[in-house]
Amino acid sequence: METLERIQHNRQVTIFILMVYLSQANPAPIRYSVLEETESGSFIAHLTKDLGLGIGELNARSARVVCDDDRQRLLLDRQTGDLLLREKLDREDICGSDEPCVLHFQVFLETPVQFFEGELLIQDINDHSPVFPNREMLLKIPENSQPGTVFPLKLAQDLDVGSNGLQKYTINANSHFHVLTRNHSDGKKHPDLVQDKVLDREEQSEFSLTLTALDGGSPPRSGTSMVRILIMDVNDNAPEFVHTPYEVQVLENSPLNSLILTVLARDVDAGNFGTISYSLFQASEEIKQTFSINEVTGEIRLTKKLDFEQIKSYHVEIEATDGGGLSGKGTVVIEVVDVNDNAPELTISSLISSIPENAPETVVSIFRIRDRDSGDNGKMICSIPDNLPFILRPTFKNFYTLVTDSPLDRESQAEYNITITVTDTGTPRLKTEHNITVLVSDVNDNAPAFTQTSYTLWVRENNSPALHIGSVSATDTDAGANAQVTYSLLPPSDPPVPLASLVSINPDNGHLFALTSLDYEALRAFEFRVGATDRGSPALSSQALVRVLVADANDNAPFVLYPLQNASAPCTELVPRAAEPGYLVTKVVAVDGDAGQNAWLSYQLLKATEPGLFGVWAHNGEVRTARLLSERDAPKQRLVVLVKDNGEPPLSASVTLHVLLVDGFSQPYLPPPEAEAAAAAPADPLTVYLVVALASVSSLFLFSVLVFVAVRLCRRGGAGSAGRCPVPEGHFPGHLVDVSGTGTLSQSHQYEVCLTGDHRTGEFKLLKPIFPNLLVQDTEREIKESPNCRNSFVFS
């Protein structure tokens, strides 16, 4: 046994050296050999060295071994580079009677793709003995048979091949027969019984001989069968077949019990010696299961389905025997015709289920196709749909690689269902489809995008801190962490107010919050930018503009500019008793710090000493006489005017007016109660001087007033009979005028009011028209800058 193993080892070394020599001239398959029935896990060869690769390269390049018969009989240890047996190999199971028995395999490396073809020669061992189909054979020989006549015997079957197969036949020693071993055209060895001397049935009618079949193994194996020879009476004509050999072609899909052909033999003898029966001669079990012959008619019929891929032809021996025991032999050659009954097969060897987008050309799958049919029925066409960014490339024999044709975009399509179609060229055409699903993994190649380029948010002033005032939103078409958006504030370069003190943003959802209570009068609008950044690597971002507008709330009550309410002495208005109805007494001037309708002001007379004597214009605050004055009217009139805005709820302020009715401007006016109380106190010298100066000025002023009144009375004399001018009261929102925070002023009349004199002795009023379009801001400036007036206001 050790000698045999040494011989095998030397043979492997010789084959390997020959392969290395031949590979330098022309690439050839790597070849190895192994004895059948070798234990699994046994070493065959060291592929790393044989393939000319570096240490560890098989593992790094994901090497794999694939056998042609789809059974993984070999095992590759990628760490050591050793090729091992995965299981025991039975040569007879793999190759049957074919010699040599070669197992074809491929070694392919995935990255980069490279193929090597290999052949493993499975050497036969003598593990089967010759076996005869029957334990006993019956041979009928006529007694007139001549010496030298040859009688074929049934051969034995030996599953081994070569020198281990059947080599010769022997028969036990006798004086009448010996056996010859004959080589048949099919490569099998047949035994022939040869007659050595004349037979005499009367002397000996039967012989029993032992036929022994020997193989060439060491030690040889053998099998025996008993040959029983009956000496028959004379029948000197044996049957003969009309045609031999018969040749016929049968489609592999022929139905069972279909007629293959009919054989015919003739015998010139008469009577029972001329009656012929047909039978299969020395048929194997496969032939017996596949065909049957009618012993009377000679019809050969199909009893088992044919398969071209397993057996392509049958050699059937037939025998025709007459009634006298003589027989003739014939041969029927049945060729199996292939039909396209096998669809192509597709085997996936390597598959990548996920590919990053924007990646360059990538190998998705490596697969092999095969069709068990032959000719055009076995030719194949492999294809995929045209509308996919993938292509098929033939690589080695029937191996194909599926690769990307261009970089993929996950946002356009995140998944591809690829149908690989393999079609043969037979009739009818058969095809096989295999579906592969390829997922496109995300790469951070899209920045977040805001739903709007700019946002406008409104917030009412006096809001509560941490109030949610609105949201911004951005979407990212990427996936996973690449699509998770974080929001942040981007402060302006030169902000009027620090942005961090005004608003904050939720980084997760983009909600904006006002951090402090806003005041419309202090800050009416502000803007800033918001950034949206994804969590990819590297991170991508975008910006949007946010403008926050502060809405006004009615949080400022009207403020009365005239008459002044904080003076030490009230302002007294003088009205002559001869004043006509509609006489302008004074005008209440007020402003409101709010805006819009919150700053629309209306005036109404709340209280009066003489109801119905005076009226207040609702839209401009002018106080006018409502009727003619009479002697019964009290000389001192006290009016309370209410100033109210148009907000919700409305806010208001009130002002008290003191009106003194006089017969003429030369009449000293009565001091108000406060002045009377002050007069009771002793006057200081400064006051006396002021009173004297005031009296001088008053005399001069009174003269001027009398002239003015006379002129006015003359001008109004004709108009007095035209009727009375009613003074409307109440709230007239339709006539309100918004002056943007400066109050409600008439646009048709403007006056300048100058208050002079000592606050203890009295006040005077001077009304004169001034230029239009003066603003209330100018009024305040004039009040402060006037050198001749203690209090001066411009109102309309």
Side-chain angles (χ1 to χ4, degrees):
M1 190 67 180
E2 294 180 357
T3 302
L4 181 60
E5 290 179 355
R6 187 180 299 109
I7 293 173
Q8 298 299 333
H9 177 71
N10 293 337
R11 182 181 300 174
Q12 292 179 7
V13 172
T14 303
I15 293 175
F16 174 74
I17 294 173
L18 181 61
M19 288 172 57
V20 172
Y21 173 78
L22 293 176
S23 63
Q24 298 176 356
N26 187 25
I30 53 176
R31 294 184 175 90
Y32 306 101
S33 64
V34 66
L35 292 174
E36 68 169 328
E37 302 300 332
T38 301
E39 291 296 327
S40 61
S42 297
F43 173 83
I44 297 177
H46 188 66
L47 287 183
T48 301
K49 181 179 179 181
D50 296 347
L51 298 179
L53 301 175
I55 298 176
E57 192 172 353
L58 289 176
N59 187 35
R61 296 178 64 181
S62 300
R64 189 177 302 177
V65 174
V66 178
C67 297
D68 277 357
D69 60 353
D70 291 338
R71 289 185 59 180
Q72 196 63 28
R73 304 179 186 274
L74 302 177
L75 178 66
L76 175 61
D77 188 340
R78 292 189 292 194
Q79 299 295 334
T80 63
D82 294 338
L83 182 64
L84 310 175
L85 282 178
R86 191 184 187 92
E87 61 184 17
K88 283 186 178 182
L89 301 180
D90 188 351
R91 192 206 65 81
E92 289 74 24
D93 178 58
I94 296 174
C95 299
S97 60
D98 294 338
E99 180 67 9
C101 180
V102 178
L103 177 63
H104 295 273
F105 65 93
Q106 293 83 34
V107 179
F108 72 91
L109 291 79
E110 291 188 8
T111 54
V113 177
Q114 187 176 4
F115 290 85
F116 299 92
E117 188 173 10
E119 295 177 357
L120 180 62
L121 176 64
I122 303 175
Q123 298 178 356
D124 183 60
I125 62 174
N126 192 23
D127 56 345
H128 294 87
S129 299
V131 178
F132 286 94
N134 303 105
R135 298 180 60 86
E136 180 177 309
M137 290 183 272
L138 178 61
L139 185 63
K140 296 179 180 180
I141 300 177
E143 65 176 344
N144 60 347
S145 177
Q146 297 298 316
T149 303
V150 177
F151 303 96
L153 300 176
K154 294 181 178 181
L155 76 163
Q157 299 285 341
D158 192 341
L159 297 180
D160 294 324
V161 296
S163 61
N164 295 325
L166 194 150
Q167 298 297 322
K168 64 178 180 178
Y169 296 89
T170 62
I171 200 168
N172 60 308
N174 65 91
S175 59
H176 288 83
F177 301 95
H178 71 275
V179 68
L180 291 177
T181 300
R182 174 171 53 88
N183 292 325
H184 200 266
S185 60
D186 58 1
K188 297 181 180 180
K189 298 183 181 297
H190 292 248
D192 287 339
L193 186 66
V194 181
Q195 182 179 340
D196 293 330
K197 56 187 300 186
V198 176
L199 303 175
D200 186 359
R201 181 179 176 278
E202 286 71 23
E203 181 180 348
Q204 188 174 355
S205 60
E206 183 176 344
F207 295 88
S208 293
L209 304 176
T210 300
L211 179 63
T212 302
L214 297 171
D215 63 19
S218 178
R221 292 175 175 263
S222 64
T224 61
S225 178
M226 181 64 69
V227 180
R228 185 167 170 240
I229 302 174
L230 298 179
I231 307 301
M232 306 299 295
D233 199 9
V234 174
N235 179 21
D236 54 356
N237 289 287
E240 294 182 359
F241 282 95
V242 176
H243 299 288
T244 188
Y246 290 90
E247 295 181 356
V248 64
Q249 292 183 336
V250 182
L251 295 176
E252 65 172 324
N253 61 347
S254 298
L256 296 178
N257 203 37
S258 58
L259 178 64
I260 304 300
L261 81 160
T262 301
V263 296
L264 177 63
R266 292 191 176 94
D267 194 322
V268 296
D269 291 328
N272 187 44
F273 292 134
T275 303
I276 299 174
S277 61
Y278 302 92
S279 63
L280 299 177
F281 180 72
Q282 295 188 356
S284 63
E285 289 298 324
E286 180 65 28
I287 292 177
K288 290 179 181 179
Q289 294 175 6
T290 307
F291 305 100
S292 66
I293 188 170
N294 189 307
E295 64 179 9
V296 177
T297 62
E299 293 179 346
I300 298 177
R301 294 186 176 274
L302 186 65
T303 57
K304 179 184 175 182
K305 281 288 187 180
L306 300 176
D307 189 352
F308 174 83
E309 288 69 41
Q310 291 186 2
I311 301 178
K312 296 177 175 55
S313 64
Y314 294 88
H315 292 262
V316 181
E317 298 290 335
I318 54 177
E319 182 180 38
T321 305
D322 61 17
L326 297 180
S327 62
K329 306 297 187 296
T331 302
V332 178
V333 178
I334 301 174
E335 296 287 341
V336 181
V337 179
D338 181 45
V339 296
N340 195 25
D341 58 344
N342 290 280
E345 301 172 3
L346 187 148
T347 304
I348 298 292
S349 299
S350 176
L351 176 63
I352 299 176
S353 59
S354 180
I355 300 175
E357 64 175 330
N358 303 328
E361 180 179 294
T362 304
V363 176
V364 178
S365 177
I366 302 174
F367 60 92
R368 183 180 65 172
I369 60 175
R370 184 176 65 175
D371 196 315
R372 299 180 184 274
D373 294 319
S374 62
D376 291 339
N377 296 331
K379 295 179 180 179
M380 297 166 290
I381 301 173
C382 188
S383 63
I384 59 173
D386 295 333
N387 59 344
L388 296 177
F390 300 90
I391 57 174
L392 284 177
R393 290 180 179 172
T395 53
F396 176 77
K397 282 192 173 180
N398 290 331
F399 280 89
Y400 284 80
T401 55
L402 176 65
V403 299
T404 56
D405 188 30
S406 60
L408 306 179
D409 184 10
R410 190 202 66 83
E411 288 70 39
S412 299
Q413 188 168 350
E415 178 179 322
Y416 291 90
N417 291 316
I418 307 171
T419 300
I420 303 175
T421 303
V422 185
T423 307
D424 61 26
T425 58
T427 303
R429 293 194 172 191
L430 300 179
K431 70 177 182 179
T432 296
E433 294 183 346
H434 188 87
N435 292 322
I436 294 177
T437 300
V438 178
L439 302 178
V440 183
S441 59
D442 186 56
V443 173
N444 192 26
D445 57 348
N446 290 279
F450 281 95
T451 56
Q452 301 173 214
T453 56
S454 63
Y455 296 82
T456 301
L457 307 178
W458 286 87
V459 57
R460 185 171 292 276
E461 66 172 330
N462 304 322
N463 58 284
S464 59
L467 175 69
H468 176 235
I469 61 174
S471 302
V472 296
S473 178
T475 58
D476 196 314
T477 55
D478 293 320
N482 296 332
Q484 296 178 4
V485 179
T486 301
Y487 301 91
S488 61
L489 296 178
L490 303 177
S493 58
D494 187 17
V497 180
L499 184 62
S501 64
L502 294 178
V503 293
S504 68
I505 190 169
N506 188 317
D508 297 326
N509 53 28
H511 291 344
L512 290 165
F513 300 89
L515 297 180
T516 184
S517 179
L518 300 176
D519 185 3
Y520 171 82
E521 288 71 33
L523 181 64
R524 298 191 176 188
F526 61 94
E527 63 183 28
F528 55 90
R529 289 192 172 273
V530 173
T533 306
D534 59 29
R535 297 184 180 177
S537 179
L540 301 178
S541 62
S542 61
Q543 299 180 9
L545 179 66
V546 179
R547 180 175 178 83
V548 179
L549 302 179
V550 182
D552 182 54
N554 193 27
D555 58 347
N556 289 279
F559 178 76
V560 178
L561 295 176
Y562 180 83
L564 291 177
Q565 298 300 297
N566 59 351
S568 59
C571 179
T572 302
E573 309 292 342
L574 300 178
V575 178
R577 288 185 178 272
E580 296 291 333
Y583 176 82
L584 176 64
V585 178
T586 187
K587 180 173 182 177
V588 178
V589 180
V591 295
D592 195 311
D594 294 319
Q597 69 177 12
N598 295 330
W600 295 350
L601 302 181
S602 62
Y603 304 83
Q604 68 183 84
L605 185 59
L606 191 63
K607 293 181 181 180
T609 304
E610 293 286 344
L613 179 57
F614 298 97
V616 179
W617 284 86
H619 66 283
N620 59 12
E622 292 180 351
V623 180
R624 294 178 182 269
T625 57
R627 60 177 174 80
L628 288 174
L629 281 70
S630 65
E631 294 296 331
R632 292 176 297 177
D633 295 329
K636 296 179 182 180
Q637 298 287 329
R638 183 175 179 270
L639 307 179
V640 178
V641 178
L642 179 68
V643 184
K644 184 171 61 174
D645 62 25
N646 199 40
E648 284 295 336
L651 301 178
S652 62
S654 62
V655 60
T656 302
L657 302 176
H658 297 276
V659 180
L660 182 64
L661 304 181
V662 296
D663 291 332
F665 285 111
S666 61
Q667 177 185 356
Y669 74 95
L670 298 177
E674 296 81 356
E676 292 178 354
D684 57 341
L686 181 59
T687 303
V688 174
Y689 296 144
L690 291 175
V691 170
V692 172
L694 180 60
S696 301
V697 174
S698 298
S699 299
L700 191 60
F701 173 72
L702 181 59
F703 176 76
S704 301
V705 169
L706 290 176
V707 174
F708 173 75
V709 170
V711 174
R712 295 282 294 184
L713 290 176
C714 291
R715 291 181 179 178
R716 292 187 179 182
S721 60
R724 297 289 182 240
C725 180
V727 180
E729 293 185 13
H731 183 62
F732 297 95
H735 301 287
L736 299 180
V737 179
D738 183 13
V739 292
S740 301
T742 61
T744 304
L745 303 178
S746 171
Q747 295 178 342
S748 59
H749 304 282
Q750 296 186 354
Y751 304 89
E752 178 180 341
V753 179
C754 181
L755 302 180
T756 63
D758 185 76
H759 68 281
R760 293 184 179 181
T761 59
E763 296 179 350
F764 297 91
K765 177 178 72 171
L766 177 63
L767 304 177
K768 67 175 182 177
I770 63 175
F771 295 106
N773 301 326
L774 292 178
L775 300 177
V776 174
Q777 290 85 344
D778 298 333
T779 303
E780 295 178 354
R781 184 176 66 253
E782 291 177 7
I783 291 173
K784 296 178 180 179
E785 296 176 357
S786 175
N788 299 322
C789 298
R790 179 173 56 86
N791 296 298
S792 179
F793 302 97
V794 176
F795 59 91
S796 63

